[in-house]
Amino acid sequence: MEKILIEPRDGLVVSCLSNLLQTSAEEVLASGDAFKVGLSGGSLVQLLAQSLPNVKTDWSRWYFFFCDERVVPFDSNDSTYGEYKSKLLEKIPVTEDQFIKIDPDLSAEDAAKDYIKKMSVFFPPDRVPCFDVLLLGLGPDGHTCSLFPGHKVLNESSLWVCPINDSPKPPLSRITLTLPVINNAKKCIFAVIGNSKAEIVKRILKDRENLPAARVQPHNGELYWILDKDAAKFLETA
């Protein structure tokens, strides 16, 4: 099920995202489970730094994973975990242990294997992981996670996490969740703001081009696109 929510201002995108995360967390925590969320980098870091402090929840039962991550030291400007550590950790009462991180000292291949092991603590190893929420980014070329147009990893059907050593966007070495895992989530959320994303939003949601982000179609879950007016401006034209 796909829902496109267009908000007049990016501040309302933040509110919409906060509300969606709060209701999602309430449902899961009421069942007695931990709330398992996948994070992406880029502009989403700032949106979550604004959204998450508004959420009323039992933060001790949240666990944060990474939809993709660059294989770089945590103090590098390219580290997605490093971004969240500097911009989010001081704003909500969570600990570093609640972030399931890569081992940045490994090769991309070994980091991917290690990340699968870390995920297996939270998900049964004999079936595809089912995240409660995946918060996904959108690149100007239509990539999401580190799934780039035309890349062979798009066709991966068995591994949970894949290494990439030839990313078309630096840094070259990364790990990424694969489409089978992404499309097994209960909720996938794209929160997109700004004129710079308007063209790619149109190509995915209006033209229905077969780009990586367009291949996010949860089998049994929900897909949300939360857009501000600028990002959605080409969707409302005839």
Side-chain angles (χ1 to χ4, degrees):
M1 180 176 63
E2 180 180 86
K3 297 182 181 178
I4 301 173
L5 310 173
I6 300 175
E7 304 290 351
R9 299 189 305 279
D10 61 359
L12 293 178
V13 169
V14 167
S15 299
C16 184
L17 186 56
S18 305
N19 293 338
L20 190 50
L21 287 169
Q22 174 138 350
T23 55
S24 301
E26 285 170 354
E27 290 167 11
V28 173
L29 297 180
S31 73
D33 291 335
F35 187 54
K36 297 179 282 292
V37 183
L39 302 172
S40 299
S43 57
L44 194 63
V45 181
Q46 192 57 44
L47 276 176
L48 288 173
Q50 294 172 277
S51 299
L52 287 175
N54 300 323
V55 175
K56 306 287 188 288
T57 186
D58 178 357
W59 286 110
S60 68
R61 294 167 63 198
W62 285 53
Y63 288 93
F64 299 95
F65 299 77
F66 291 91
C67 299
D68 68 327
E69 178 60 290
R70 291 83 174 261
V71 184
V72 295
F74 293 147
D75 59 2
S76 164
N77 290 336
D78 286 322
S79 169
T80 300
Y81 169 64
E83 281 266 285
Y84 280 101
K85 183 178 178 182
S86 65
K87 293 180 180 173
L88 181 66
L89 263 173
E90 63 190 30
K91 295 187 175 183
I92 57 174
V94 295
T95 66
E96 292 188 38
D97 290 343
Q98 287 170 256
F99 288 79
I100 313 307
K101 304 175 283 291
I102 67 163
D103 183 339
D105 296 325
L106 299 176
S107 67
E109 289 81 6
D110 288 339
K113 291 174 187 170
D114 178 67
Y115 208 67
I116 291 169
K117 283 184 191 169
K118 288 172 176 171
M119 287 171 60
S120 296
V121 174
F122 297 87
F123 299 101
D126 58 344
R127 66 188 76 136
V128 178
C130 180
F131 281 94
D132 297 308
V133 172
L134 292 179
L135 294 153
L136 299 169
L138 176 65
D141 59 353
H143 83 264
T144 191
C145 304
S146 282
L147 301 172
F148 293 92
H151 199 283
K152 63 182 184 295
V153 171
L154 283 168
N155 300 316
E156 176 59 50
S157 59
S158 57
L159 291 176
W160 294 1
V161 180
C162 270
I164 292 177
N165 282 306
D166 57 353
S167 168
K169 178 183 176 184
L172 295 176
S173 292
R174 300 155 175 256
I175 65 157
T176 184
L177 296 182
T178 58
L179 279 170
V181 174
I182 295 167
N183 284 329
N184 202 44
K186 294 178 188 173
K187 286 189 178 78
C188 291
I189 303 172
F190 288 93
V192 184
I193 60 172
N195 281 302
S196 65
K197 298 292 177 72
E199 178 63 29
I200 194 63
V201 165
K202 169 185 172 287
R203 288 172 62 191
I204 291 167
L205 294 180
K206 189 174 181 184
D207 303 337
R208 299 291 172 178
E209 287 189 35
N210 186 28
L211 293 162
R215 294 175 65 174
V216 175
Q217 298 287 338
H219 308 308
N220 301 304
E222 298 172 311
L223 171 61
Y224 290 86
W225 287 83
I226 309 173
L227 311 169
D228 72 351
K229 285 284 189 185
D230 290 337
K233 69 181 180 181
F234 295 140
L235 297 184
E236 299 170 330
T237 56

